[in-house]
Structures are given as structure tokens and as C-alpha cells.
Amino acid sequence: MLTRQTLLPGRHVWQLALLMAMAMLVSGCGINNIPTYDEQVKSAWSQVENQYQRRADLVPNLVETVKGFAAQEQETLTAVIEARSRATSIQVDASSLDDPQKMQQFQQAQQQLSGALSRLMAVSERYPELKSNQNFLALQSQLEGTENRIAVARRDFIQAVERYNTEIRTFPGRLWHSLLYSEMPLRENFEATTENADQAPQVEF
């Protein structure tokens, strides 16, 4: 004869199985998408910062090399140094990615450095010995490669932000956002403030 005690373990097994099934169902409905995509945004931004820092690190050696052959171009050299200083002074970490003013300041500072570097490269056209210098040629190659890496990192960040923001605005992500992740805001993205901003600038030497 079956008693309540003999039926009880079976009931627990069914309850456990039901809970497991519900957990699997919920996990398949995108409940974890928002925090996952947010982490991808932060990771992509780290790559953007890394590549901009890589470019900034090249500037001192580049300036010194140009100065060795074209010291009289002091105005252009100073402009590059000042632009680098502004670009490195504005830091946007993961906690301020949703701050449009901070993002705009960061972009503007980086664009100013891009412009200053372009003017510095134009100066080299007037100095054949500089253009053939091995150190200058090596820096040229590194700068060109870094500009390409910046373009790729920016593209990846833009795509990550679009994926995250779309998840928050569409179903079922919008539901999970209102229920579980309401403190997670929409993320700011890069804006194309210059023509063909999604393309790496051409570094001509």
C-alpha cells in the first residue's frame, strides 16, 4: 500500500523537473541577452580606447623624427603635441558610455588629433630626406596600421551598441528590460561628424 511518504519523493522529482524546464524555457527567451550585449559593448569600447591610445603613443616619436629634419615647422609640431594632450586627457570608461556630452568631447578631441597628424604628414612632402628616413618609414607604417585598427574597432563598437539598443527596444528584450534591467540605459554611439567617418583616413606620405 502506497503511503504519503512513498509518494512524496516522486512529487519532488516532478517539481524539480518542472523548475528545470521553466528555467530552460526562460533562458531560451532572451532573458540574458541584455547583460550579454552590454558586456559586448563594453568590450568593444575597450578596443576603441586601446587603438586610440596606440595612436597617441606613436605621436612623440613621430614628432621627434620630424623635428630632426624640419625643426622650423614648429607651429605644426606644437599643434600635434597639443592635440595629443587634449585627446589623452578625455577618458570615457564603461560607466560613462551613456553620456552624450562626454562621448562628443572624446570624438572631437580624437578628430582634432587626426587633423593635426594629417597636417604633419603634409609637411613631410617638403623634406625628401625625412620621407626616406627609416625611422619615419617605420612610424608611417605603424600609424597607417593603427588608423585601420581604429576604423575596425569603431565599426565593431557601433555594431555592438546597435545590437544592445535594439534588444532593449524590441520584444521580448523590451519586456525583460522593464522587469529586470530597467537600470541599464540605452548606450550612446559614435556619430559621423565628418564625411566618410566610417572609413580609415588615408595617410599619405
Side-chain angles (χ1 to χ4, degrees):
M1 180 177 178
L2 295 176
T3 64
R4 179 179 177 84
Q5 285 73 18
T6 58
L7 287 173
L8 198 55
R11 181 180 300 173
H12 283 304
V13 170
W14 280 108
Q15 289 176 341
L16 180 60
L18 180 61
L19 288 173
M20 291 178 64
M22 290 177 63
M24 292 177 64
L25 181 63
V26 168
S27 64
C29 289
I31 192 173
N32 293 319
N33 283 357
I34 293 176
T36 298
Y37 293 161
D38 187 50
E39 289 303 315
Q40 291 174 359
V41 168
K42 294 174 183 176
S43 177
W45 178 253
S46 294
Q47 286 303 311
V48 172
E49 287 187 306
N50 287 342
Q51 298 310 324
Y52 275 127
Q53 185 60 53
R54 177 188 175 94
R55 181 175 70 170
D57 291 343
L58 291 173
V59 169
N61 286 338
L62 184 63
V63 167
E64 287 302 313
T65 300
V66 173
K67 186 187 297 183
F69 293 87
Q72 62 269 34
E73 304 288 349
Q74 191 59 48
E75 183 178 348
T76 301
L77 294 167
T78 300
V80 172
I81 294 170
E82 291 177 350
R84 178 190 184 273
S85 178
R86 286 191 295 271
T88 55
S89 68
I90 300 175
Q91 299 297 321
V92 178
D93 57 22
S95 64
S96 55
L97 279 177
D98 55 325
D99 184 340
Q101 184 176 2
K102 199 73 175 289
M103 288 289 286
Q104 185 178 19
Q105 290 174 348
F106 181 86
Q107 291 180 73
Q108 288 175 345
Q110 296 298 338
Q111 287 167 3
Q112 288 172 1
L113 179 54
S114 294
L117 284 170
S118 294
R119 291 189 292 276
L120 183 64
M121 294 304 102
V123 164
S124 69
E125 292 295 326
R126 299 197 290 269
Y127 302 92
E129 291 183 2
L130 171 60
K131 289 180 63 177
S132 62
N133 177 266
Q134 290 300 312
N135 189 37
F136 184 80
L137 291 173
L139 289 167
Q140 163 193 342
S141 177
Q142 293 178 55
L143 181 60
E144 186 175 33
T146 300
E147 293 291 358
N148 289 331
R149 290 186 182 94
I150 288 172
V152 171
R154 281 172 56 112
R155 180 202 65 196
D156 291 346
F157 174 73
I158 289 169
Q159 291 176 347
V161 170
E162 287 177 348
R163 185 185 305 114
Y164 168 82
N165 286 345
T166 299
E167 182 69 18
I168 288 179
R169 288 171 168 155
T170 57
F171 185 85
R174 186 170 183 174
L175 174 63
W176 296 127
H177 183 256
S178 63
L179 292 175
L180 301 174
Y181 307 115
S182 58
E183 80 284 357
M184 298 177 69
L186 291 171
R187 294 296 188 190
E188 288 296 317
N189 215 332
F190 274 112
E191 294 182 3
T193 54
T194 58
E195 187 177 357
N196 299 323
D198 59 333
Q199 301 176 9
Q202 296 297 314
V203 182
E204 300 291 345
F205 299 90

